[in-house]
């Protein structure tokens, strides 16, 4: 039973993550939006979902399918800002998102640096 439950969870995560990628691809192909603008749109969607309080419910069903893409990063920024604003006040809203996402950003920076040590960039 546990194995079947895990397969179902993996299927949901894969489907949701794939759907987000498909939406992004459709936006690239069908509109004149650049990938950077689409990234910002997804980030803002995550912020809005967290701000109106529905992100946690979506996360319970979709798990990593919604939290790993940039939507999850936006939700984490919003959640940190909301928590710190409640604890510290208005100023906490500015620092909260950075505090909540600092670990992930730090790991991304270190890993990016390590990749640049291993591989060399080539001009096109």
């Amino acid at each position: 039973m546990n194995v079947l439950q895990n397969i179902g969870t993996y299927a949901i995560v894969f489907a949701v993550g794939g759907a987000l990628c498909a939406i992004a691809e459709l936006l690239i192909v069908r509109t004149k939006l650049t990938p950077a603008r689409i990234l910002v749109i997804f980030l803002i969607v995550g912020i809005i979902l967290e701000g109106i309080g529905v992100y946690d419910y979506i996360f319970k069903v979709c798990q990593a399918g919604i939290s790993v893409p940039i939507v999850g990063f936006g939700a984490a920024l919003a959640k940190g800002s909301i928590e710190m604003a409640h604890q510290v006040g208005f100023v906490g809203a500015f620092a909260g998102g950075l505090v909540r996402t600092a670990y992930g950003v730090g790991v991304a920076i270190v890993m990016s640096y390590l990749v640049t040590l291993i591989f060399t960039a080539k001009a096109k």
Side-chain angles (χ1 to χ4, degrees):
M1 177 80 176
N2 195 16
V3 172
L4 291 177
Q5 190 176 21
N6 286 341
I7 291 172
T9 301
Y10 294 147
I12 290 170
V13 168
F14 181 79
V16 172
L20 288 174
C21 291
I23 291 168
E25 188 64 31
L26 283 172
L27 289 172
I28 290 171
V29 172
R30 300 282 184 202
T31 68
K32 295 187 182 215
L33 291 172
T34 63
R37 289 185 178 176
I38 294 168
L39 184 90
V40 170
I41 290 169
F42 278 31
L43 180 80
I44 292 171
V45 166
I47 292 169
I48 291 169
L49 290 174
E50 181 63 43
I52 61 175
V54 298
Y55 180 81
D56 288 336
Y57 299 111
I58 296 170
F59 176 76
K60 286 179 184 175
V61 175
C62 302
Q63 299 178 11
I66 195 81
S67 67
V68 171
I70 195 70
V71 177
F73 184 73
L77 283 171
K79 188 172 207 157
S81 295
I82 293 167
E83 287 174 356
M84 287 292 275
H86 285 281
Q87 292 174 3
V88 180
F90 180 73
V91 177
F94 296 103
L98 298 174
V99 170
R100 182 144 181 116
T101 59
Y103 179 75
V105 172
V107 169
I109 291 170
V110 170
M111 295 308 289
S112 298
Y113 179 70
L114 292 176
V115 167
T116 61
L117 294 176
I118 297 169
F119 301 99
T120 56
K122 295 177 183 168
K124 290 186 177 184

Coordinates of all heavy atoms in Angstrom, one line a residue, residues 26-113:
L26 N 4.0 27.4 -23.3 CA 2.9 28.0 -24.1 C 3.1 29.6 -24.1 O 2.8 30.2 -25.1 CB 1.6 27.6 -23.6 CG 1.1 26.2 -23.9 CD1 -0.2 25.9 -23.2 CD2 0.9 26.1 -25.4
L27 N 3.4 30.1 -22.9 CA 3.6 31.6 -22.9 C 4.7 32.0 -23.7 O 4.7 33.1 -24.4 CB 3.8 32.0 -21.4 CG 2.5 31.9 -20.5 CD1 2.9 32.2 -19.1 CD2 1.5 32.9 -21.0
I28 N 5.8 31.2 -23.8 CA 6.9 31.6 -24.6 C 6.6 31.5 -26.1 O 6.9 32.4 -26.9 CB 8.2 30.7 -24.3 CG1 8.7 31.0 -22.9 CG2 9.2 30.8 -25.4 CD1 9.8 30.0 -22.5
V29 N 5.9 30.5 -26.5 CA 5.6 30.2 -27.9 C 4.5 31.1 -28.4 O 4.5 31.6 -29.5 CB 5.2 28.7 -28.1 CG1 4.7 28.5 -29.5 CG2 6.4 27.8 -27.8
R30 N 3.4 31.3 -27.6 CA 2.2 32.0 -28.1 C 2.2 33.5 -27.8 O 1.4 34.2 -28.3 CB 1.0 31.4 -27.4 CG 0.8 29.9 -27.7 CD 0.2 29.8 -29.1 NE 0.0 28.3 -29.3 CZ -0.1 27.8 -30.5 NH1 0.0 28.6 -31.6 NH2 -0.3 26.5 -30.6
T31 N 3.1 34.0 -26.9 CA 3.1 35.4 -26.6 C 4.5 36.0 -26.9 O 5.4 35.2 -27.3 CB 2.7 35.7 -25.2 OG1 3.8 35.2 -24.3 CG2 1.4 35.0 -24.8
K32 N 4.6 37.3 -26.8 CA 5.9 37.9 -27.0 C 6.6 38.1 -25.6 O 7.6 38.9 -25.5 CB 5.7 39.2 -27.7 CG 5.2 39.0 -29.1 CD 5.2 40.3 -29.9 CE 4.7 40.0 -31.2 NZ 5.3 40.8 -32.3
L33 N 6.2 37.4 -24.6 CA 6.8 37.5 -23.3 C 8.2 36.8 -23.3 O 8.3 35.7 -23.9 CB 5.9 36.8 -22.2 CG 4.6 37.5 -21.9 CD1 3.8 36.6 -20.9 CD2 4.9 38.9 -21.2
T34 N 9.1 37.4 -22.7 CA 10.4 36.8 -22.6 C 10.4 35.8 -21.4 O 9.6 35.9 -20.5 CB 11.5 37.9 -22.3 OG1 11.2 38.5 -21.0 CG2 11.5 38.9 -23.4
P35 N 11.4 34.9 -21.4 CA 11.5 34.0 -20.2 C 11.6 34.7 -18.9 O 11.1 34.2 -17.9 CB 12.7 33.1 -20.6 CG 12.7 33.1 -22.1 CD 12.3 34.5 -22.5
A36 N 12.3 35.8 -18.9 CA 12.5 36.6 -17.6 C 11.1 37.1 -17.1 O 10.9 37.0 -15.9 CB 13.5 37.7 -17.8
R37 N 10.3 37.6 -18.0 CA 9.0 38.1 -17.6 C 8.1 37.0 -17.2 O 7.3 37.1 -16.2 CB 8.4 38.9 -18.7 CG 9.1 40.2 -19.0 CD 8.5 41.0 -20.0 NE 9.2 42.3 -20.1 CZ 9.0 43.2 -20.9 NH1 8.0 43.1 -21.8 NH2 9.7 44.3 -20.9
I38 N 8.2 35.8 -17.8 CA 7.4 34.7 -17.4 C 7.8 34.2 -16.0 O 7.0 33.9 -15.2 CB 7.5 33.5 -18.4 CG1 6.9 34.0 -19.7 CG2 6.9 32.3 -17.9 CD1 7.1 33.1 -20.9
L39 N 9.1 34.3 -15.7 CA 9.6 33.9 -14.4 C 9.1 34.8 -13.4 O 8.6 34.4 -12.3 CB 11.2 34.0 -14.5 CG 11.9 33.6 -13.2 CD1 12.2 32.1 -13.3 CD2 13.2 34.4 -13.1
V40 N 9.0 36.1 -13.7 CA 8.5 37.1 -12.7 C 7.0 36.9 -12.5 O 6.5 37.0 -11.4 CB 8.7 38.5 -13.2 CG1 8.0 39.6 -12.4 CG2 10.2 38.8 -13.2
I41 N 6.3 36.5 -13.6 CA 4.8 36.2 -13.5 C 4.6 35.0 -12.5 O 3.8 35.1 -11.6 CB 4.2 35.9 -14.9 CG1 4.1 37.2 -15.7 CG2 2.8 35.3 -14.7 CD1 3.8 37.0 -17.1
F42 N 5.4 34.0 -12.7 CA 5.3 32.8 -11.8 C 5.6 33.2 -10.4 O 5.0 32.7 -9.4 CB 6.1 31.7 -12.3 CG 5.5 30.9 -13.4 CD1 4.7 31.4 -14.3 CD2 5.8 29.5 -13.5 CE1 4.1 30.7 -15.4 CE2 5.3 28.7 -14.6 CZ 4.4 29.3 -15.5
L43 N 6.6 34.0 -10.2 CA 7.0 34.4 -8.9 C 5.9 35.2 -8.2 O 5.5 34.9 -7.0 CB 8.3 35.3 -8.9 CG 8.8 35.9 -7.6 CD1 9.6 34.8 -6.9 CD2 9.7 37.1 -7.8
I44 N 5.3 36.1 -8.9 CA 4.2 36.9 -8.4 C 2.9 36.0 -8.1 O 2.2 36.2 -7.1 CB 3.8 38.1 -9.4 CG1 5.0 39.1 -9.3 CG2 2.5 38.7 -9.0 CD1 4.9 40.2 -10.4
V45 N 2.7 35.0 -9.0 CA 1.6 34.1 -8.7 C 1.8 33.4 -7.3 O 0.9 33.2 -6.5 CB 1.5 33.0 -9.8 CG1 0.6 31.9 -9.4 CG2 0.9 33.7 -11.1
G46 N 3.1 33.0 -7.1 CA 3.4 32.3 -5.8 C 3.1 33.3 -4.6 O 2.6 32.9 -3.6
I47 N 3.5 34.6 -4.8 CA 3.3 35.6 -3.8 C 1.8 35.8 -3.5 O 1.3 35.8 -2.4 CB 4.0 36.9 -4.1 CG1 5.5 36.7 -4.1 CG2 3.5 38.0 -3.2 CD1 6.3 37.9 -4.7
I48 N 1.0 35.9 -4.6 CA -0.4 36.1 -4.5 C -1.1 34.9 -3.8 O -1.9 35.0 -2.9 CB -1.0 36.3 -5.9 CG1 -0.6 37.7 -6.4 CG2 -2.6 36.3 -5.8 CD1 -0.9 38.0 -7.8
L49 N -0.7 33.6 -4.2 CA -1.3 32.4 -3.6 C -1.0 32.4 -2.1 O -1.9 32.0 -1.3 CB -0.7 31.2 -4.3 CG -1.2 30.9 -5.7 CD1 -0.5 29.7 -6.3 CD2 -2.7 30.7 -5.8
E50 N 0.2 32.8 -1.7 CA 0.5 32.8 -0.3 C -0.2 33.9 0.4 O -0.7 33.8 1.5 CB 2.0 32.9 -0.1 CG 2.4 32.9 1.4 CD 2.1 31.6 2.1 OE1 2.4 30.6 1.6 OE2 1.7 31.7 3.3
G51 N -0.3 35.1 -0.3 CA -0.9 36.2 0.3 C -2.4 36.0 0.6 O -2.9 36.5 1.6
I52 N -3.1 35.3 -0.3 CA -4.5 35.1 -0.1 C -4.8 33.8 0.7 O -5.9 33.5 1.1 CB -5.3 35.1 -1.4 CG1 -4.8 33.9 -2.3 CG2 -5.2 36.4 -2.1 CD1 -5.7 33.8 -3.6
G53 N -3.7 33.1 1.1 CA -3.8 32.0 2.0 C -4.2 30.7 1.4 O -4.6 29.8 2.1
V54 N -4.0 30.5 0.1 CA -4.4 29.2 -0.5 C -3.2 28.3 -0.9 O -3.3 27.2 -1.2 CB -5.3 29.4 -1.8 CG1 -6.6 30.0 -1.4 CG2 -4.6 30.2 -2.9
Y55 N -2.0 28.9 -0.8 CA -0.8 28.1 -1.2 C -0.6 26.9 -0.4 O -0.3 25.8 -0.9 CB 0.5 29.0 -1.1 CG 1.7 28.3 -1.6 CD1 2.0 28.1 -2.9 CD2 2.6 27.7 -0.6 CE1 3.1 27.4 -3.3 CE2 3.7 27.0 -1.0 CZ 4.0 26.9 -2.4 OH 5.1 26.1 -2.8
D56 N -0.8 27.0 0.9 CA -0.6 25.8 1.8 C -1.6 24.7 1.4 O -1.2 23.5 1.5 CB -0.8 26.2 3.3 CG 0.4 27.0 3.8 OD1 1.5 26.9 3.2 OD2 0.2 27.7 4.8
Y57 N -2.8 25.0 1.0 CA -3.8 23.9 0.6 C -3.3 23.3 -0.7 O -3.4 22.1 -0.9 CB -5.2 24.5 0.5 CG -5.7 25.1 1.8 CD1 -5.9 26.5 1.9 CD2 -6.0 24.3 2.8 CE1 -6.4 27.0 3.1 CE2 -6.5 24.8 4.0 CZ -6.7 26.2 4.1 OH -7.1 26.7 5.3
I58 N -2.8 24.1 -1.6 CA -2.3 23.6 -2.9 C -1.1 22.7 -2.6 O -0.9 21.7 -3.2 CB -2.0 24.7 -3.9 CG1 -3.3 25.5 -4.2 CG2 -1.3 24.2 -5.1 CD1 -3.1 26.8 -5.0
F59 N -0.2 23.2 -1.7 CA 1.0 22.4 -1.4 C 0.7 21.1 -0.8 O 1.4 20.1 -1.1 CB 1.9 23.2 -0.4 CG 3.1 22.5 0.0 CD1 4.2 22.4 -0.9 CD2 3.2 21.9 1.2 CE1 5.3 21.6 -0.5 CE2 4.3 21.2 1.7 CZ 5.4 21.1 0.8
K60 N -0.3 21.0 0.0 CA -0.7 19.7 0.6 C -1.0 18.6 -0.5 O -0.7 17.4 -0.3 CB -1.9 19.8 1.6 CG -1.5 20.5 2.8 CD -2.7 20.6 3.8 CE -2.3 21.4 5.0 NZ -3.4 21.7 5.9
V61 N -1.5 19.0 -1.6 CA -1.9 18.1 -2.7 C -0.7 18.0 -3.6 O -0.3 16.9 -4.0 CB -3.1 18.6 -3.4 CG1 -3.4 17.7 -4.6 CG2 -4.3 18.7 -2.5
C62 N -0.1 19.1 -4.0 CA 0.9 19.1 -5.1 C 2.3 18.9 -4.6 O 3.2 18.5 -5.4 CB 0.8 20.4 -5.9 SG -0.8 20.6 -6.6
Q63 N 2.6 19.2 -3.4 CA 3.9 19.0 -2.8 C 5.0 19.7 -3.6 O 5.0 20.8 -3.9 CB 4.2 17.6 -2.4 CG 3.2 17.1 -1.4 CD 3.3 15.6 -1.1 OE1 4.3 15.0 -1.4 NE2 2.4 15.1 -0.4
A64 N 6.1 18.9 -4.0 CA 7.2 19.4 -4.7 C 6.9 19.9 -6.1 O 7.6 20.8 -6.6 CB 8.3 18.4 -4.8
G65 N 5.8 19.5 -6.6 CA 5.4 20.0 -8.0 C 5.1 21.5 -8.0 O 5.3 22.1 -9.0
I66 N 4.7 22.0 -6.8 CA 4.4 23.4 -6.8 C 5.5 24.2 -6.0 O 5.7 25.3 -6.2 CB 3.0 23.7 -6.1 CG1 2.5 25.1 -6.4 CG2 3.0 23.4 -4.7 CD1 2.0 25.4 -7.7
S67 N 6.2 23.5 -5.1 CA 7.2 24.2 -4.2 C 8.5 24.3 -4.8 O 9.3 25.3 -4.5 CB 7.3 23.5 -2.9 OG 7.9 22.2 -3.0
V68 N 8.9 23.4 -5.7 CA 10.3 23.5 -6.3 C 10.4 24.6 -7.4 O 11.4 25.3 -7.4 CB 10.7 22.1 -6.9 CG1 12.0 22.2 -7.7 CG2 10.9 21.1 -5.7
P69 N 9.4 24.7 -8.3 CA 9.5 25.8 -9.3 C 9.5 27.2 -8.6 O 9.3 27.3 -7.4 CB 8.2 25.6 -10.1 CG 7.8 24.3 -9.9 CD 8.2 23.9 -8.5
I70 N 9.6 28.2 -9.4 CA 9.7 29.6 -8.9 C 8.5 30.0 -8.1 O 8.5 30.9 -7.3 CB 10.1 30.6 -10.0 CG1 10.5 31.9 -9.5 CG2 8.9 30.7 -11.0 CD1 11.9 31.9 -8.9
V71 N 7.3 29.4 -8.4 CA 6.1 29.7 -7.6 C 6.3 29.4 -6.1 O 5.9 30.2 -5.3 CB 4.9 28.8 -8.1 CG1 3.7 29.0 -7.3 CG2 4.7 29.0 -9.6
G72 N 7.0 28.4 -5.8 CA 7.3 28.1 -4.4 C 8.3 29.1 -3.8 O 8.1 29.5 -2.6
F73 N 9.2 29.6 -4.6 CA 10.1 30.7 -4.1 C 9.3 31.9 -3.8 O 9.5 32.6 -2.7 CB 11.2 30.9 -5.1 CG 12.2 31.9 -4.6 CD1 13.2 31.6 -3.7 CD2 12.3 33.2 -5.1 CE1 14.1 32.5 -3.2 CE2 13.2 34.1 -4.7 CZ 14.1 33.8 -3.8
G74 N 8.4 32.3 -4.6 CA 7.5 33.5 -4.4 C 6.7 33.3 -3.1 O 6.6 34.2 -2.3
A75 N 6.2 32.1 -3.0 CA 5.4 31.9 -1.8 C 6.2 31.9 -0.5 O 5.8 32.5 0.5 CB 4.7 30.5 -1.9
A76 N 7.5 31.4 -0.6 CA 8.4 31.5 0.6 C 8.7 32.9 0.9 O 8.8 33.3 2.1 CB 9.6 30.7 0.3
L77 N 9.0 33.8 -0.1 CA 9.2 35.2 0.1 C 8.0 35.8 0.8 O 8.2 36.6 1.8 CB 9.5 35.9 -1.2 CG 10.8 35.7 -1.9 CD1 10.8 36.3 -3.2 CD2 11.9 36.3 -1.0
A78 N 6.8 35.6 0.3 CA 5.7 36.2 1.0 C 5.4 35.7 2.4 O 5.1 36.5 3.3 CB 4.4 35.9 0.1
K79 N 5.6 34.4 2.6 CA 5.4 33.8 3.9 C 6.4 34.4 4.9 O 6.0 34.7 6.0 CB 5.5 32.3 3.9 CG 5.1 31.6 5.1 CD 5.1 30.1 5.0 CE 4.1 29.5 5.9 NZ 3.6 28.2 5.5
G80 N 7.6 34.5 4.5 CA 8.6 35.1 5.4 C 8.3 36.6 5.7 O 8.4 37.0 6.9
S81 N 7.9 37.3 4.7 CA 7.5 38.7 4.9 C 6.3 38.9 5.9 O 6.3 39.7 6.8 CB 7.2 39.4 3.6 OG 8.4 39.4 2.8
I82 N 5.3 38.0 5.7 CA 4.1 38.1 6.5 C 4.5 37.7 8.0 O 4.1 38.4 8.9 CB 3.0 37.1 5.9 CG1 2.5 37.7 4.6 CG2 1.9 37.0 6.9 CD1 1.7 36.7 3.8
E83 N 5.3 36.6 8.1 CA 5.6 36.2 9.5 C 6.4 37.3 10.2 O 6.2 37.6 11.4 CB 6.4 34.9 9.5 CG 5.6 33.7 9.1 CD 6.5 32.4 8.9 OE1 7.7 32.5 9.0 OE2 5.9 31.4 8.7
M84 N 7.4 37.9 9.6 CA 8.3 38.9 10.2 C 7.5 40.2 10.4 O 7.7 40.9 11.4 CB 9.5 39.2 9.4 CG 10.5 38.1 9.4 SD 11.3 37.9 11.0 CE 12.6 39.2 10.9
A85 N 6.5 40.5 9.6 CA 5.7 41.7 9.8 C 4.8 41.5 11.0 O 4.6 42.4 11.8 CB 4.8 41.9 8.6
H86 N 4.4 40.3 11.3 CA 3.6 40.0 12.5 C 4.5 40.1 13.7 O 4.0 40.6 14.8 CB 2.9 38.6 12.4 CG 1.7 38.6 11.5 ND1 0.5 39.1 11.8 CD2 1.6 38.1 10.2 CE1 -0.3 38.9 10.8 NE2 0.3 38.3 9.8
Q87 N 5.7 39.6 13.6 CA 6.6 39.6 14.8 C 7.2 41.0 15.1 O 7.3 41.4 16.2 CB 7.7 38.6 14.6 CG 7.2 37.1 14.6 CD 8.4 36.2 14.2 OE1 9.5 36.6 14.0 NE2 8.0 34.9 14.1
V88 N 7.8 41.6 14.0 CA 8.6 42.8 14.2 C 7.8 44.1 13.9 O 8.1 45.1 14.4 CB 9.9 42.7 13.4 CG1 10.7 44.0 13.6 CG2 10.6 41.5 13.7
G89 N 6.9 44.0 13.0 CA 6.2 45.1 12.5 C 6.4 45.4 11.1 O 6.9 44.5 10.3
F90 N 6.1 46.6 10.6 CA 6.2 46.9 9.2 C 7.6 46.7 8.6 O 7.8 46.2 7.5 CB 5.8 48.4 9.0 CG 5.9 48.9 7.6 CD1 4.9 48.5 6.7 CD2 6.9 49.7 7.2 CE1 5.0 48.9 5.4 CE2 6.9 50.1 5.9 CZ 6.0 49.7 5.0
V91 N 8.7 47.0 9.4 CA 10.0 46.8 8.9 C 10.3 45.3 8.6 O 11.1 45.0 7.7 CB 11.1 47.4 9.9 CG1 12.5 47.2 9.4 CG2 10.8 48.9 10.0
G92 N 9.7 44.5 9.4 CA 9.9 43.0 9.3 C 9.5 42.5 7.9 O 10.0 41.5 7.4
A93 N 8.5 43.2 7.3 CA 8.0 42.7 6.0 C 9.2 42.8 4.9 O 9.2 42.0 4.0 CB 6.9 43.6 5.6
F94 N 10.1 43.7 5.1 CA 11.2 43.8 4.1 C 12.3 42.8 4.3 O 12.9 42.3 3.4 CB 11.8 45.2 4.2 CG 10.8 46.3 3.8 CD1 10.2 47.1 4.8 CD2 10.5 46.5 2.5 CE1 9.3 48.1 4.4 CE2 9.6 47.5 2.1 CZ 9.0 48.3 3.1
A95 N 12.5 42.4 5.6 CA 13.6 41.4 5.9 C 13.1 40.0 5.9 O 13.9 39.1 5.6 CB 14.2 41.8 7.2
G96 N 11.8 39.8 6.1 CA 11.3 38.4 6.3 C 11.5 37.5 5.1 O 11.9 36.3 5.3
G97 N 11.3 38.0 4.0 CA 11.4 37.2 2.8 C 12.9 36.8 2.6 O 13.2 35.6 2.2
L98 N 13.8 37.7 2.8 CA 15.2 37.4 2.7 C 15.7 36.4 3.7 O 16.4 35.5 3.4 CB 16.0 38.7 2.8 CG 15.7 39.7 1.7 CD1 16.5 41.0 2.0 CD2 16.0 39.2 0.4
V99 N 15.2 36.5 4.9 CA 15.6 35.6 6.0 C 15.1 34.2 5.7 O 15.8 33.2 5.8 CB 15.0 36.0 7.4 CG1 15.2 35.0 8.4 CG2 15.7 37.3 7.8
R100 N 13.8 34.1 5.2 CA 13.2 32.8 4.9 C 13.9 32.0 3.7 O 13.9 30.8 3.7 CB 11.7 32.9 4.7 CG 11.0 31.6 4.4 CD 9.6 31.7 5.0 NE 9.0 30.4 4.8 CZ 8.6 29.6 5.8 NH1 8.9 29.9 7.0 NH2 8.0 28.5 5.5
T101 N 14.3 32.8 2.8 CA 14.9 32.2 1.6 C 16.4 32.2 1.5 O 17.0 31.8 0.5 CB 14.3 32.9 0.3 OG1 14.7 34.3 0.3 CG2 12.8 32.7 0.2
A102 N 17.1 32.7 2.5 CA 18.5 32.9 2.5 C 19.3 31.6 2.3 O 20.3 31.5 1.6 CB 19.0 33.6 3.8
Y103 N 18.8 30.5 2.9 CA 19.5 29.2 2.8 C 19.5 28.7 1.4 O 20.6 28.4 0.8 CB 18.9 28.2 3.7 CG 19.5 26.8 3.6 CD1 20.7 26.6 4.3 CD2 18.9 25.8 2.9 CE1 21.3 25.3 4.2 CE2 19.5 24.6 2.9 CZ 20.7 24.3 3.5 OH 21.3 23.1 3.4
G104 N 18.4 28.8 0.7 CA 18.3 28.3 -0.7 C 19.1 29.2 -1.6 O 19.7 28.7 -2.5
V105 N 19.0 30.5 -1.4 CA 19.8 31.4 -2.3 C 21.3 31.2 -2.1 O 22.1 31.1 -3.0 CB 19.4 32.9 -2.0 CG1 20.3 33.8 -2.7 CG2 18.0 33.1 -2.4
G106 N 21.7 31.0 -0.8 CA 23.1 30.7 -0.5 C 23.6 29.4 -1.2 O 24.7 29.4 -1.7
V107 N 22.8 28.4 -1.1 CA 23.2 27.1 -1.7 C 23.3 27.3 -3.2 O 24.3 26.8 -3.9 CB 22.2 26.0 -1.4 CG1 22.5 24.8 -2.2 CG2 22.4 25.6 0.1
A108 N 22.4 28.0 -3.8 CA 22.4 28.3 -5.3 C 23.7 29.0 -5.7 O 24.3 28.7 -6.7 CB 21.2 29.0 -5.7
I109 N 24.1 30.0 -4.9 CA 25.3 30.8 -5.2 C 26.5 29.9 -5.1 O 27.4 29.9 -6.0 CB 25.4 32.0 -4.3 CG1 24.3 33.0 -4.6 CG2 26.8 32.7 -4.4 CD1 24.1 34.1 -3.6
V110 N 26.6 29.1 -4.0 CA 27.8 28.3 -3.9 C 27.9 27.2 -5.0 O 29.0 27.0 -5.5 CB 27.8 27.6 -2.5 CG1 28.9 26.5 -2.3 CG2 28.0 28.7 -1.4
M111 N 26.8 26.6 -5.3 CA 26.8 25.6 -6.3 C 27.1 26.2 -7.7 O 27.8 25.6 -8.5 CB 25.4 24.8 -6.4 CG 25.2 24.0 -5.1 SD 26.5 22.9 -4.6 CE 26.4 21.7 -5.9
S112 N 26.6 27.4 -7.9 CA 26.9 28.1 -9.2 C 28.4 28.3 -9.3 O 29.0 28.2 -10.4 CB 26.1 29.4 -9.3 OG 24.8 29.1 -9.3
Y113 N 29.0 28.8 -8.2 CA 30.4 29.0 -8.2 C 31.2 27.7 -8.5 O 32.2 27.7 -9.2 CB 30.9 29.7 -6.9 CG 32.3 29.9 -6.8 CD1 32.9 30.9 -7.6 CD2 33.2 29.2 -6.0 CE1 34.3 31.2 -7.6 CE2 34.5 29.4 -6.0 CZ 35.1 30.4 -6.8 OH 36.4 30.7 -6.7

